[in-house]
Amino acid sequence: MIKHILVPYDGSKPSHRAFEYVLDLAKKYKSNVTAITCLYKQYYDPNLYEVEDKVLKKRQKDAATTGLLNLEAIANELEIPFKAKILESFSVTDALLSYAESHGIDLIVMGSRGMGGFKKLLLGSVASGVTEHSKCPVLIVK
């Protein structure tokens, strides 16, 4: 029933706890796991694009790659089929929902709050948006 699990990962403690839940579920249900890190695309004027912005973007992508490789090593050790993706989007929520729908995701497991700046009262804005608009079940991990 749960063949493919999506876990958004941003390096935060809640996203790592969500990954731990995913490992347990994937073992029990023999599920495939996809971990996604979303990087915010910036609106910019190409004439004003600074070298520092390119350096920052590369650092963010390198950090995301390192984090996902660590998750992959853990999943491989447990013999859990694992795929990692880095997506760039103006909306993390939209990117996650689009990926889930287009790749036949059966369950999304995510942390209650990520690394984002402003926090909502109960859930982070991405967790709230995914929960509200997802066509598949969503498990929120605190």
Side-chain angles (χ1 to χ4, degrees), residues 18-30:
F19 180 68
E20 291 171 351
Y21 271 82
V22 166
L23 294 175
D24 186 52
L25 290 167
K27 268 300 218 196
K28 288 178 183 169
Y29 292 101
K30 297 180 171 80

Side-chain angles (χ1 to χ4, degrees), residues 54-100:
K54 291 179 184 177
V55 171
L56 177 61
K57 192 172 191 173
K58 181 175 178 352
R59 285 183 186 157
Q60 289 173 333
K61 192 166 188 177
D62 289 348
T65 300
T66 299
L68 292 172
L69 285 172
N70 290 336
L71 299 185
E72 183 176 31
I74 295 166
N76 286 342
E77 190 175 303
L78 297 171
E79 299 179 353
I80 295 171
F82 182 87
K83 183 180 356 174
K85 295 286 290 182
I86 296 174
L87 303 177
E88 290 186 43
S89 178
F90 295 115
S91 167
V92 173
T93 301
D94 290 346
L96 294 172
L97 292 169
S98 176
Y99 187 93

Side-chain angles (χ1 to χ4, degrees), residues 1-4 13 24 39-40 51 55 58 64-65 68-71 76 91-93 104-105 121 125-126 133:
M1 185 167 177
I2 302 174
K3 295 179 183 174
H4 197 173
K13 286 182 183 180
D24 186 52
L39 302 178
Y40 288 106
V51 173
V55 171
K58 181 175 178 352
T65 300
L68 292 172
L69 285 172
N70 290 336
L71 299 185
N76 286 342
S91 167
V92 173
T93 301
I105 299 297
L121 185 58
S125 59
V126 173
H133 298 289

